[in-house]
Amino acid sequence: MDLNVKIVIVDESPVRSAILEEGLREAGFMDVTRIAEMTNLLARIYAIDPDVILIDLENPSRDVLEQMFQVSRIVKRPIAMFVDQSDTASIQASVDAGVASYIVDGLKKERIKHILDTCISRFNAFARLQEELDRTKSALEERKVIDRAKGILMKAKSINEEEAYALLRKTAMNENKKIAEIAQSVITASEMFK
Amino acid sequence: MTESRKLRIGFIPLVDAAALIVAVDKGFTAEEGLNVELVREVSWSNVRDKLNIGLFDAAHLLAPVAIASSLGLGHVKVPIITAFGLGLNGNAITVSPELFNALKDAADGDLADPMVSARALARVVMNRKARGEEPLTFGMTFPYSTHNYQLRFWMAAGGVDPDQDVRLIVLPPPYMVESLANKHVDAFCVGAPWNSVAVDLGIGRILHFVSEILERAAEKVLAVRARWAEDNPDMFHKLVRAHGRAAAFVEDEHNHHEVARLLSAPGRIAVEPEVIRRTLDGRLKISPDGTYRSSDRYLMVGRKGAARPDPAQAAWLYAQMVRWGQALMSAEGLAEAKAAFRPDLYDKIIGGSPDLPPSEPADRVGAFTGPAFDPDNIVAHLDGWKIRRR
């Protein structure tokens, strides 16, 4: 299989594009360039003259590429969007994963499929990573809030840490709320009494 | 009230999403029993794709994109219809202070007159060519956008060929101001609030409200897939009805303060309410020195029949696609373009009069110049232009 395909990744996130680049290299595609700077995007892409352009769906510059799709008929090689205009399932999968791809005409369909599949799975992997990170972050935040509330209760009611936590937990159960929510109300209330 | 499926509606943070945002945030959709989630998007390509593949049930969409999608231009062919126009007009052309001065020196009259400014532009363009300078660059928002067509219409009227004499580039609206500041573009055409942002920063000057170029141009529409409307008539009717109430609310001057506040919220447009207020009032600061210009046509959300989709405007947009080589002229194409705009559904759901008030242009578009426009015979209209593709 000919792996001499020039791929451009347009993405402002260095982590995600690194994940994507690595995946494409593993799949055997060596010519991968990342564009992170959005000014003069069209000129940069023309200079590289890629066969495939992959762009993060949350990048407003996607509209800029649509213009290239139009003018390319006159000035450059034609560019087709997505794998196959009639392949709605692929479009859906890629939009779901958060990536859009623009493919220059003349590339074999099987190869494009390969690139796109790599892309989708890598974008999904990134989304999972991001989710995990967000979860860890919010767990840390919650712990901080609970610690502060415990401190307030210990001082106000002259109880120890264990008792303070038990009180928070019991109230949370009674009110059918999360411990962190009860802890937040304790903090808010104590600030109002200041 | 029955538990209804959640509707997902995509929008771009612009003032002409007002009726949509108000319909949801003011509770008009909820009162109809609809459960709507508004999803903020960053690009028209995203809005179009997510609507086309069914991730969105409805969308705030550029009127020409609804037509292009129905015709299969630039992307997959998915028939889109609209029974409710979210706004007429609303854009402005902003130029750099340097370009403004050059235009002023070249003008043989008042630059507020679009014919005077278009001819001045032609002189500036010629002078630059004679001196061997780079062509002027104009930013607009999307290949299938009213911004693109309004700029082209205006320039060509003065003798400038938009594909030969200048550069027209797509720029995402949030990058417009920065691009003008660092001289990547000399001018742009965009919706609110971006023109005002450039004026407030002292780096741009509003040359024209687009309503000075065309009195009635369909700008954004509430778009749904034709299939979706057929499969979900009940939800579709409720959605359009809620928008009818929202548009009336937006247009009532007494509500402008509240509407500006709703639109300026973080999950919505997220700019100062005062900037949004200017657009709603149709009174914009056009120059950093504090000069204002007013027009009751600046952005029309429901007034003067603005919300009732008008196939004449769809025909005008299709004519621009043909004029600039985006579409091949065909009777079927014209019919399909017009069929995307459904005044019959608007009348059925909201009720209204097909007649425009006497203040409105007889041809229903009201261009400032050019051969007569007849929506049933756009070939004759197009043949009247010297500058066009093919």
Side-chain angles (χ1 to χ4, degrees), chain A residues 44-92:
Chain A
R44 283 163 203 259
I45 289 178
Y46 281 141
I48 299 170
D49 194 18
D51 301 290
V52 178
I53 303 158
L54 302 167
I55 183 164
D56 161 30
L57 221 54
E58 295 313 308
N59 194 321
S61 290
R62 242 200 101 193
D63 283 348
V64 178
L65 296 187
E66 296 277 324
Q67 184 186 23
M68 188 167 69
F69 173 54
Q70 289 217 317
V71 299
S72 67
R73 271 175 297 177
I74 310 155
V75 298
K76 277 269 167 175
R77 293 180 295 157
I79 295 195
M81 228 207 108
F82 295 115
V83 176
D84 177 341
Q85 298 239 343
S86 59
D87 188 357
T88 317
S90 287
I91 297 178
Q92 193 147 11

Side-chain angles (χ1 to χ4, degrees), chain B residues 177-303:
Chain B
V177 172
E178 192 193 327
S179 300
L180 190 66
N182 63 25
K183 307 203 185 310
H184 260 117
V185 296
D186 301 285
F188 57 67
C189 179
V190 71
W194 303 105
N195 297 287
S196 293
V197 172
V199 172
D200 284 352
L201 286 173
I203 57 156
R205 198 177 154 120
I206 294 177
L207 184 66
H208 289 300
F209 295 177
V210 295
S211 54
E212 293 155 13
I213 293 164
L214 204 72
E215 286 181 73
R216 293 175 74 86
E219 178 55 40
K220 307 291 175 357
V221 296
L222 177 70
V224 297
R225 289 182 306 285
R227 260 306 283 283
W228 184 88
E230 274 167 33
D231 293 346
N232 303 280
D234 189 45
M235 276 196 271
F236 179 56
H237 284 206
K238 287 174 171 173
L239 188 63
V240 171
R241 209 156 42 221
H243 276 75
R245 287 181 61 196
F249 188 87
V250 171
E251 286 293 19
D252 185 340
E253 264 176 60
H254 299 102
N255 299 329
H256 281 187
H257 178 75
E258 185 180 353
V259 173
R261 194 178 49 79
L262 283 172
L263 264 54
S264 66
R268 301 305 183 225
I269 305 179
V271 299
E272 287 299 306
E274 192 271 325
V275 180
I276 291 174
R277 179 76 198 251
R278 288 186 218 168
T279 309
L280 296 172
D281 293 345
R283 184 168 182 273
L284 272 69
K285 189 159 93 176
I286 59 164
S287 149
D289 69 14
T291 312
Y292 276 80
R293 188 184 295 176
S294 293
S295 167
D296 66 348
R297 314 195 68 87
Y298 182 72
L299 171 66
M300 292 149 74
V301 176
R303 271 171 297 146

Side-chain angles (χ1 to χ4, degrees), chain A residues 94-136:
Chain A
S94 96
V95 169
D96 263 343
V99 63
S101 49
Y102 293 77
I103 320 265
V104 175
D105 266 4
L107 266 190
K108 283 222 173 58
K109 213 171 157 182
E110 311 78 71
R111 202 140 36 104
I112 296 161
K113 185 92 184 112
H114 190 44
I115 295 171
L116 198 68
D117 286 346
T118 306
C119 227
I120 291 171
S121 73
R122 289 277 149 168
F123 259 65
N124 282 332
F126 176 77
R128 276 196 300 275
L129 260 175
Q130 189 74 41
E131 219 174 280
E132 233 165 77
L133 191 70
D134 290 347
R135 253 205 318 271
T136 317

Side-chain angles (χ1 to χ4, degrees), chain B residues 289-361:
Chain B
D289 69 14
T291 312
Y292 276 80
R293 188 184 295 176
S294 293
S295 167
D296 66 348
R297 314 195 68 87
Y298 182 72
L299 171 66
M300 292 149 74
V301 176
R303 271 171 297 146
K304 299 178 182 174
R308 187 176 185 269
D310 190 342
Q313 286 155 24
W316 188 84
L317 291 170
Y318 179 68
Q320 309 315 301
M321 293 175 187
V322 174
R323 182 177 180 188
W324 303 118
Q326 291 178 327
L328 290 173
M329 177 61 213
S330 77
E332 301 80 58
L334 176 60
E336 274 184 288
K338 284 169 150 180
F341 281 39
R342 299 290 300 273
D344 57 320
L345 292 175
Y346 178 93
D347 293 347
K348 193 171 140 196
I349 301 166
I350 293 183
S353 153
D355 298 320
L356 295 181
S359 63
E360 298 306 288

